[in-house]
Amino acid sequence: MKKIYDQIAKLKQYSYLQGIVSWDLETEMPQLAHKQTADAAQFLGDIYYELITDPTFIEEVNNIDTALLSEVDQKVINELKLEIFKIEVIPKVEYVAFLRLLNESHVAWVEARNDNNYSIFAPFLEKIINYQKKFISYYGYEQHPYDALLNEYERGMTVSQLDPLFDMIATKLTPLLKLIAEQEPINNEFLVTGPYAVDKQKEFCHKIAEKVGFDFRSGVLKESAHPFSMSLNKHNIRMTTHFYENDLNSAISSTLHETGHSLYEQGVSDDLLHTNLDSGVSLGIHESQSRLYENYVGKSLQFWEHNFEQLQELFPEHLSNVTVENFYKAINKVQPSLIRVEADELTYPFHVMIRYQIEKEIFSDEVSVDELPKRWNELYKEYLGIDVPSDSQGILQDVHWSMGSFGYFPTYVLGSAYASQIMNKLIQDIDFDKVLSGEFSVLKSYLGEHIHQFGSLKDPDELINNFTNEKFNPEYYITYLFNKYKHLYNI
Amino acid sequence: MKKIYDQIAKLKQYSYLQGIVSWDLETEMPQLAHKQTADAAQFLGDIYYELITDPTFIEEVNNIDTALLSEVDQKVINELKLEIFKIEVIPKVEYVAFLRLLNESHVAWVEARNDNNYSIFAPFLEKIINYQKKFISYYGYEQHPYDALLNEYERGMTVSQLDPLFDMIATKLTPLLKLIAEQEPINNEFLVTGPYAVDKQKEFCHKIAEKVGFDFRSGVLKESAHPFSMSLNKHNIRMTTHFYENDLNSAISSTLHETGHSLYEQGVSDDLLHTNLDSGVSLGIHESQSRLYENYVGKSLQFWEHNFEQLQELFPEHLSNVTVENFYKAINKVQPSLIRVEADELTYPFHVMIRYQIEKEIFSDEVSVDELPKRWNELYKEYLGIDVPSDSQGILQDVHWSMGSFGYFPTYVLGSAYASQIMNKLIQDIDFDKVLSGEFSVLKSYLGEHIHQFGSLKDPDELINNFTNEKFNPEYYITYLFNKYKHLYNI
C-alpha cells in the first residue's frame, strides 16, 4: 500500500490546489484574472488525469491482494478502482471533447439565460445529452438507463428507489399544498422589506455558525454569489453565504445549510485524513446534514425561542414589534414560486420532482430537446399551479445541465428525505429540544458518531441502514412535512 | 525559443500556484490548516526547483545563440541563466539544509521575540550568517562581501554606491533631526485616539486606491496582519492593508504604499506577459513606486486639500474641527521611535541605516552574533537618541534575518532615494500639482511609460539612467527631506 498511498498523497496535493484555485475563483478573483485562473484549473485537471490514469499506478491498484487488507485499505482500493473505471471506460478522445463541449455549453447557457433564448442553448444541450447516453452505455445499468447517472451522484441510487419518493410527493403533498393555498396567507412582509444592514447580518451568521458547532480554527465563512461549501481537508473548510438587504432569512438559512455540510467534513475521523475517504460519502448524505441544520434547527420554533432576541437587538427598527411566533411563521411561509433556489421547504421538492421527471423522460427517449421548455412549463402548471413567463425563469434557471450534471437534482430531495429518516431515529436517542435550547455539541457528537466520522468509508445505503436500522424509507419525510405544515397553518 | 517558452509557461503555472497558496496563507487560511498549506508550499517549491534545474532545460538555455534573438528574448535567456546560476552554485544538500534551517529559525525568532530572549534566536542567527558567508563565497563579489547579498535584492547594488547615501543620512539629516527636536511638537492627538470605525476606513481606502488608478478589475484590496502586495500576473494583483481603530493614517498610508507597488505591476506591458520579465525589476525600483504614492502623494498638503473633506464627512466626530493644514502636519509629525515600521518619513532612513551598518559589520567580521544587541542599542542611542528597553523592541523586531534576508533592508531607503530622483525629473515633465488635484491618470501614464511597462526588461541602473539621464544620485532624497521638514517645522 505504500506506493499507493504515495500516489494518493500526490493526488490530494493536486486536489487541494484545484480547490484553492476554485475557492479563489468563486470568492475573490478580480474579473480580468479569469483567463489565468481558468488556465490554472485546466493545468491542474490535466495533471490529475495523468496521475490517476498512470499505467504503473493502475497496475499497482489492480494487483494488490485486498483480502489481506484492513477495512480502510480495502475501501481505499475499491474507491480507486471505481474512480479509475469511470475514467478509463470513456475513451480519452471523447472525454476531452466532452469537457470542451461543457466549457462552450456553459457560455451558451449564460447567454441563453441572459437573452431568454432557449434556442441558443438547445444545440449544446442536445450534444451533452447524446454524450451522456453514450456514457450510460459505457457505465452500464440494470433496469433504467437513468440509473447509471443517478449512481454518479448517489452510489446505488435507482429509479426504482426514487419513484416511490417522488410519487409520494406528487400524490400526498399536492393535496396539502392545495389546502394551504386556501388558508389565510402568512404575513412575511417585515422579513423581505428591510433594509437589513449586511454587516449586522454577517455578525449574526458568524455567531450562529459558531453556536451550532462550526470550528473557525478549521474553517472560513465568506461571501459569494451563490452559497457553497468545500473541504480542502477537515481542517480547511471553506463555506460561503450570500446577504440580501431585503431578505433577512436568506443568509441565515444558507449559513445553517452550509454549516451542516461543513460539520460533516470537520467531523471526519483523523484516521482517514491520509486516504481518499476523508470527505463526505455522497451528495445525498451531505444534503441530509445541511437540510437538518437548515430546516430542523434553523426553521424550528424552539431554536428561535432562544435566538430571536439577539436578532431583535441587532435590528430593533424592524423586529421589535415582531413576536417569535410570527417570525417562525414568516420564515416558513409556503408560496409556490418559479425559482427552485428561492423555494420554501414544502414547495422545494416539487421543483426537484419536475426535474427528475424530465431527466427520466430524456434518458428513456420520451421527450426531445426541442420539447423540453413546453414539458417544463406543463409540469410547473400541473404541480405548482404556476405559469412560467419566460424560459430564463423556467428551464434555463439552473446551471446543472450546462455542466453535464444529470442525476444531480434528485440528491437535493433525497437529502431531505434522509434527514427525516435520521431525525426519526435521533429524537429517540437524544433530547432534541435540549439541543435547540443551545446544547448543540450533543447533536454534533451524535451525528459525528453515526455519520460524520466515517467520511467515505461506508456507502450511503450502509450508513443509513446501520444508523436507522432500516433501508431508505421516504415516508418519514412526507410525514414530517405533513405534520409541520398542518400545524403551521392550523389545518 | 519555443521549448524554453513552454518551460517558462510551466514555471509560471507553479509560481501562480505558489502565489495563490501564499495569498491564502496570509489572508484567509484558518489556523489549523497550517500544515496542509505548508505542505503544499513545500510541494510546489520542490517542483519549481526540479523544473528550473532540469538538465535538458538548462542545456536548451545554455545552447541558444542569443546573438540572433530579439531584445526581449535575449533578456529572457539572461534572466534564466542568472536564476539557474544562483540555484546551481549552491550544492543542493546545502540549499535544502538552509531551507530547513530557515523554517526552524523563524519559529525560534517568534519565540525569542515573544519571550524577549535573544539567546533563543542567537544560535540560529549564527548558523544563518555562516550559510550566507558560504553563499557569498559561491556567488563571488568584487569589493565587499556584502555586495554579493545586496546584489540579490537590487542587481548591481554595492557598498560603494550605498555608503554615500547612508553617510549623507547620518551627517546631513542628523542635524535636521536635532533642530526639529527643539521645535514645538506637532499635535497629532486626534489621529491616534479615535476610535475610527474600520468599515469607514475600508470604504475610504478603497476609494483612494481607485482614485489614484488601481484597477479593481485586475486586482484585489484586502486585509492582513502586515500589509503587502503581490502579483500573480498583471491582471491578478493582490494587495492588503491593515486597519487600526486608533490610528487613522496607518491604513491610508499603507493603502497608497501598496497601490504604488500594484500600479507598477498592473502597468507592465502585455508583450511581457508570457515571459519571465512580467514583473517589477527590483525591490528598490518597486519601493520607489510605493514610496512615491505613499509620501509624495499621500503625505502632501495638496492631495489632502482635495480629499480631506471626504474624510471629514466619514468621521465628523473626530475631524470636523481639524483643519487640512493640521491634518497634513499631524500625518507628517517627526518622532524618533523604536520600531521601524511605525517610523515617520524622516526617521525611517535612520532605522534602515542602522541595519545596513550592522549587516555590513557582520559580513566583514567586525561584530559577532553575541555582540549584536549591544551594537543595535548603541546605534539607536547614537542616531535616534533612544534607549532600547528590550530586545523584542530592538534587534528582534524585524522578521528579515530569520528568513535569511540580509541585504534587503537597504532597498527600503534606496526606494525612497530613487523616488526623489524620479520626482526631480517628473516635475519637469508633468504638472504634479494637477496630478494631486485629481488627475492621477497623468501620473500613472507617465510612470507607466518610463518605468512600469518595462517589467524586468531593463535593470535598475539602466532604468534610472534612461529615465532621469543620470546615474543613481542620493542627493535628491536628502534635499527633498530637508526642504519638506524645514518648511513643515518652520525652521
Short mmCIF file of all heavy atoms in Angstrom, two decimals, chain A residues 243-278:
data_model
loop_
_atom_site.label_atom_id
_atom_site.label_comp_id
_atom_site.label_asym_id
_atom_site.label_seq_id
_atom_site.Cartn_x
_atom_site.Cartn_y
_atom_site.Cartn_z
N PHE A 243 -25.65 37.65 1.27
CA PHE A 243 -26.51 38.55 2.03
C PHE A 243 -27.38 39.39 1.11
O PHE A 243 -26.91 39.91 0.09
CB PHE A 243 -25.65 39.48 2.89
CG PHE A 243 -24.77 38.72 3.86
CD1 PHE A 243 -23.45 38.43 3.53
CD2 PHE A 243 -25.28 38.26 5.06
CE1 PHE A 243 -22.65 37.71 4.40
CE2 PHE A 243 -24.48 37.55 5.94
CZ PHE A 243 -23.16 37.27 5.61
N TYR A 244 -28.65 39.50 1.49
CA TYR A 244 -29.57 40.39 0.79
C TYR A 244 -30.14 41.37 1.80
O TYR A 244 -30.62 40.94 2.86
CB TYR A 244 -30.72 39.59 0.16
CG TYR A 244 -30.27 38.59 -0.86
CD1 TYR A 244 -30.00 37.28 -0.50
CD2 TYR A 244 -30.10 38.97 -2.20
CE1 TYR A 244 -29.57 36.36 -1.45
CE2 TYR A 244 -29.68 38.06 -3.15
CZ TYR A 244 -29.41 36.75 -2.77
OH TYR A 244 -28.99 35.84 -3.70
N GLU A 245 -30.11 42.63 1.45
CA GLU A 245 -30.65 43.62 2.39
C GLU A 245 -32.15 43.47 2.57
O GLU A 245 -32.69 43.85 3.61
CB GLU A 245 -30.34 45.04 1.89
CG GLU A 245 -28.90 45.44 2.12
CD GLU A 245 -28.71 46.94 2.09
OE1 GLU A 245 -29.48 47.61 1.38
OE2 GLU A 245 -27.79 47.43 2.78
N ASN A 246 -32.81 42.92 1.56
CA ASN A 246 -34.27 42.81 1.66
C ASN A 246 -34.74 41.37 1.82
O ASN A 246 -35.83 41.01 1.39
CB ASN A 246 -34.93 43.46 0.44
CG ASN A 246 -34.51 42.76 -0.83
OD1 ASN A 246 -33.60 41.92 -0.79
ND2 ASN A 246 -35.15 43.07 -1.93
N ASP A 247 -33.88 40.56 2.42
CA ASP A 247 -34.31 39.21 2.74
C ASP A 247 -33.48 38.71 3.92
O ASP A 247 -32.39 38.18 3.76
CB ASP A 247 -34.14 38.29 1.54
CG ASP A 247 -34.68 36.89 1.81
OD1 ASP A 247 -34.99 36.59 2.99
OD2 ASP A 247 -34.79 36.11 0.85
N LEU A 248 -34.02 38.91 5.11
CA LEU A 248 -33.25 38.59 6.31
C LEU A 248 -32.98 37.11 6.44
O LEU A 248 -31.95 36.69 6.94
CB LEU A 248 -33.99 39.11 7.56
CG LEU A 248 -33.33 38.79 8.90
CD1 LEU A 248 -31.92 39.37 8.97
CD2 LEU A 248 -34.17 39.35 10.05
N ASN A 249 -33.93 36.29 5.97
CA ASN A 249 -33.78 34.86 6.24
C ASN A 249 -32.80 34.15 5.30
O ASN A 249 -32.24 33.11 5.65
CB ASN A 249 -35.14 34.16 6.18
CG ASN A 249 -35.04 32.75 6.72
OD1 ASN A 249 -34.48 32.54 7.80
ND2 ASN A 249 -35.54 31.79 5.97
N SER A 250 -32.59 34.73 4.14
CA SER A 250 -31.78 34.03 3.15
C SER A 250 -30.39 33.70 3.66
O SER A 250 -29.94 32.54 3.60
CB SER A 250 -31.67 34.91 1.89
OG SER A 250 -30.76 34.35 1.00
N ALA A 251 -29.68 34.69 4.19
CA ALA A 251 -28.30 34.44 4.64
C ALA A 251 -28.26 33.51 5.85
O ALA A 251 -27.40 32.63 5.96
CB ALA A 251 -27.61 35.75 4.98
N ILE A 252 -29.21 33.68 6.76
CA ILE A 252 -29.25 32.83 7.95
C ILE A 252 -29.46 31.38 7.54
O ILE A 252 -28.78 30.46 8.00
CB ILE A 252 -30.38 33.29 8.91
CG1 ILE A 252 -30.11 34.71 9.41
CG2 ILE A 252 -30.53 32.31 10.07
CD1 ILE A 252 -31.25 35.31 10.21
N SER A 253 -30.44 31.20 6.67
CA SER A 253 -30.79 29.86 6.22
C SER A 253 -29.62 29.23 5.47
O SER A 253 -29.26 28.07 5.71
CB SER A 253 -32.01 30.00 5.32
OG SER A 253 -32.68 28.81 5.19
N SER A 254 -29.00 29.97 4.58
CA SER A 254 -27.84 29.46 3.83
C SER A 254 -26.69 29.15 4.78
O SER A 254 -25.98 28.16 4.59
CB SER A 254 -27.34 30.50 2.83
OG SER A 254 -28.27 30.72 1.84
N THR A 255 -26.48 30.00 5.75
CA THR A 255 -25.38 29.77 6.68
C THR A 255 -25.57 28.46 7.42
O THR A 255 -24.64 27.65 7.54
CB THR A 255 -25.26 30.93 7.69
OG1 THR A 255 -25.05 32.14 6.97
CG2 THR A 255 -24.11 30.70 8.64
N LEU A 256 -26.80 28.23 7.91
CA LEU A 256 -27.04 26.97 8.62
C LEU A 256 -26.93 25.78 7.67
O LEU A 256 -26.40 24.72 8.03
CB LEU A 256 -28.40 27.01 9.31
CG LEU A 256 -28.38 27.81 10.62
CD1 LEU A 256 -29.80 28.08 11.11
CD2 LEU A 256 -27.58 27.08 11.70
N HIS A 257 -27.41 25.95 6.46
CA HIS A 257 -27.30 24.89 5.46
C HIS A 257 -25.83 24.53 5.21
O HIS A 257 -25.43 23.36 5.33
CB HIS A 257 -27.96 25.37 4.16
CG HIS A 257 -27.94 24.37 3.05
ND1 HIS A 257 -29.01 23.56 2.75
CD2 HIS A 257 -26.96 24.02 2.17
CE1 HIS A 257 -28.69 22.77 1.74
NE2 HIS A 257 -27.45 23.03 1.37
N GLU A 258 -25.03 25.55 4.92
CA GLU A 258 -23.61 25.28 4.62
C GLU A 258 -22.87 24.78 5.87
O GLU A 258 -21.94 23.97 5.76
CB GLU A 258 -22.94 26.53 4.04
CG GLU A 258 -23.57 27.07 2.75
CD GLU A 258 -23.72 26.03 1.64
OE1 GLU A 258 -22.96 25.04 1.62
OE2 GLU A 258 -24.64 26.19 0.81
N THR A 259 -23.28 25.26 7.02
CA THR A 259 -22.66 24.77 8.26
C THR A 259 -22.93 23.28 8.43
O THR A 259 -22.06 22.53 8.88
CB THR A 259 -23.17 25.56 9.48
OG1 THR A 259 -22.88 26.94 9.28
CG2 THR A 259 -22.48 25.10 10.75
N GLY A 260 -24.13 22.84 8.05
CA GLY A 260 -24.44 21.42 8.11
C GLY A 260 -23.47 20.61 7.26
O GLY A 260 -22.92 19.59 7.69
N HIS A 261 -23.22 21.09 6.04
CA HIS A 261 -22.23 20.44 5.18
C HIS A 261 -20.86 20.44 5.86
O HIS A 261 -20.13 19.44 5.85
CB HIS A 261 -22.10 21.20 3.85
CG HIS A 261 -23.22 20.95 2.87
ND1 HIS A 261 -23.57 19.70 2.45
CD2 HIS A 261 -24.05 21.82 2.22
CE1 HIS A 261 -24.57 19.79 1.58
NE2 HIS A 261 -24.88 21.07 1.43
N SER A 262 -20.51 21.58 6.41
CA SER A 262 -19.15 21.75 6.96
C SER A 262 -18.92 20.91 8.20
O SER A 262 -17.81 20.39 8.40
CB SER A 262 -18.91 23.22 7.28
OG SER A 262 -18.99 23.99 6.11
N LEU A 263 -19.94 20.79 9.03
CA LEU A 263 -19.78 19.97 10.24
C LEU A 263 -19.50 18.52 9.86
O LEU A 263 -18.73 17.82 10.52
CB LEU A 263 -21.04 20.06 11.12
CG LEU A 263 -21.26 21.42 11.78
CD1 LEU A 263 -22.59 21.42 12.54
CD2 LEU A 263 -20.12 21.79 12.72
N TYR A 264 -20.15 18.09 8.80
CA TYR A 264 -19.90 16.74 8.27
C TYR A 264 -18.40 16.59 7.97
O TYR A 264 -17.72 15.68 8.45
CB TYR A 264 -20.75 16.54 7.02
CG TYR A 264 -20.79 15.16 6.40
CD1 TYR A 264 -20.12 14.07 6.95
CD2 TYR A 264 -21.56 14.94 5.24
CE1 TYR A 264 -20.19 12.81 6.35
CE2 TYR A 264 -21.64 13.68 4.65
CZ TYR A 264 -20.95 12.62 5.20
OH TYR A 264 -21.02 11.38 4.61
N GLU A 265 -17.87 17.53 7.21
CA GLU A 265 -16.46 17.44 6.81
C GLU A 265 -15.51 17.61 8.00
O GLU A 265 -14.49 16.92 8.09
CB GLU A 265 -16.16 18.51 5.75
CG GLU A 265 -16.90 18.31 4.43
CD GLU A 265 -16.46 17.05 3.69
OE1 GLU A 265 -15.33 16.59 3.90
OE2 GLU A 265 -17.27 16.51 2.91
N GLN A 266 -15.84 18.52 8.90
CA GLN A 266 -14.96 18.73 10.06
C GLN A 266 -14.98 17.52 11.00
O GLN A 266 -14.08 17.33 11.80
CB GLN A 266 -15.37 19.99 10.84
CG GLN A 266 -15.06 21.28 10.07
CD GLN A 266 -15.28 22.55 10.88
OE1 GLN A 266 -16.11 22.58 11.80
NE2 GLN A 266 -14.56 23.62 10.54
N GLY A 267 -16.05 16.71 10.86
CA GLY A 267 -16.19 15.57 11.76
C GLY A 267 -15.59 14.26 11.26
O GLY A 267 -15.64 13.24 11.96
N VAL A 268 -15.04 14.29 10.04
CA VAL A 268 -14.43 13.06 9.50
C VAL A 268 -13.28 12.63 10.41
O VAL A 268 -12.54 13.46 10.93
CB VAL A 268 -13.93 13.29 8.06
CG1 VAL A 268 -13.10 12.10 7.56
CG2 VAL A 268 -15.10 13.54 7.12
N SER A 269 -13.15 11.33 10.61
CA SER A 269 -12.10 10.82 11.50
C SER A 269 -10.69 11.18 11.02
O SER A 269 -10.40 11.12 9.82
CB SER A 269 -12.23 9.30 11.59
OG SER A 269 -11.05 8.75 12.15
N ASP A 270 -9.84 11.51 11.98
CA ASP A 270 -8.43 11.79 11.65
C ASP A 270 -7.77 10.60 10.96
O ASP A 270 -6.84 10.77 10.17
CB ASP A 270 -7.64 12.09 12.93
CG ASP A 270 -7.91 13.49 13.42
OD1 ASP A 270 -8.40 14.31 12.63
OD2 ASP A 270 -7.63 13.77 14.60
N ASP A 271 -8.25 9.41 11.26
CA ASP A 271 -7.64 8.21 10.69
C ASP A 271 -7.80 8.12 9.17
O ASP A 271 -7.14 7.32 8.52
CB ASP A 271 -8.27 6.95 11.30
CG ASP A 271 -8.07 6.91 12.80
OD1 ASP A 271 -7.19 7.64 13.30
OD2 ASP A 271 -8.80 6.17 13.47
N LEU A 272 -8.71 8.92 8.63
CA LEU A 272 -8.95 8.86 7.19
C LEU A 272 -8.25 9.99 6.42
O LEU A 272 -8.29 10.05 5.20
CB LEU A 272 -10.46 8.91 6.89
CG LEU A 272 -11.28 7.76 7.48
CD1 LEU A 272 -12.77 8.00 7.22
CD2 LEU A 272 -10.85 6.42 6.90
N LEU A 273 -7.60 10.86 7.19
CA LEU A 273 -7.06 12.10 6.62
C LEU A 273 -6.07 11.84 5.47
O LEU A 273 -5.99 12.61 4.52
CB LEU A 273 -6.39 12.90 7.74
CG LEU A 273 -6.19 14.40 7.56
CD1 LEU A 273 -7.45 15.10 7.12
CD2 LEU A 273 -5.68 15.02 8.86
N HIS A 274 -5.35 10.74 5.55
CA HIS A 274 -4.33 10.46 4.51
C HIS A 274 -4.89 9.62 3.37
O HIS A 274 -4.16 9.27 2.45
CB HIS A 274 -3.16 9.72 5.16
CG HIS A 274 -3.53 8.35 5.66
ND1 HIS A 274 -4.44 8.16 6.67
CD2 HIS A 274 -3.15 7.12 5.25
CE1 HIS A 274 -4.59 6.86 6.88
NE2 HIS A 274 -3.83 6.21 6.03
N THR A 275 -6.17 9.32 3.43
CA THR A 275 -6.77 8.44 2.41
C THR A 275 -7.65 9.22 1.44
O THR A 275 -7.84 10.43 1.61
CB THR A 275 -7.65 7.35 3.07
OG1 THR A 275 -8.85 7.99 3.55
CG2 THR A 275 -6.94 6.69 4.23
N ASN A 276 -8.20 8.52 0.49
CA ASN A 276 -9.18 9.11 -0.42
C ASN A 276 -10.61 8.97 0.12
O ASN A 276 -11.56 9.11 -0.61
CB ASN A 276 -9.07 8.47 -1.81
CG ASN A 276 -9.16 6.96 -1.75
OD1 ASN A 276 -9.07 6.37 -0.67
ND2 ASN A 276 -9.32 6.32 -2.90
N LEU A 277 -10.71 8.69 1.43
CA LEU A 277 -12.03 8.51 2.05
C LEU A 277 -12.33 9.65 3.02
O LEU A 277 -13.25 9.54 3.84
CB LEU A 277 -12.09 7.18 2.81
CG LEU A 277 -11.60 5.93 2.05
CD1 LEU A 277 -11.54 4.73 3.00
CD2 LEU A 277 -12.52 5.64 0.87
N ASP A 278 -11.54 10.74 2.95
CA ASP A 278 -11.61 11.75 4.00
C ASP A 278 -12.61 12.86 3.74
O ASP A 278 -12.45 13.98 4.20
CB ASP A 278 -10.22 12.36 4.22
CG ASP A 278 -9.77 13.19 3.03
OD1 ASP A 278 -10.24 12.91 1.90
OD2 ASP A 278 -8.98 14.12 3.23
#
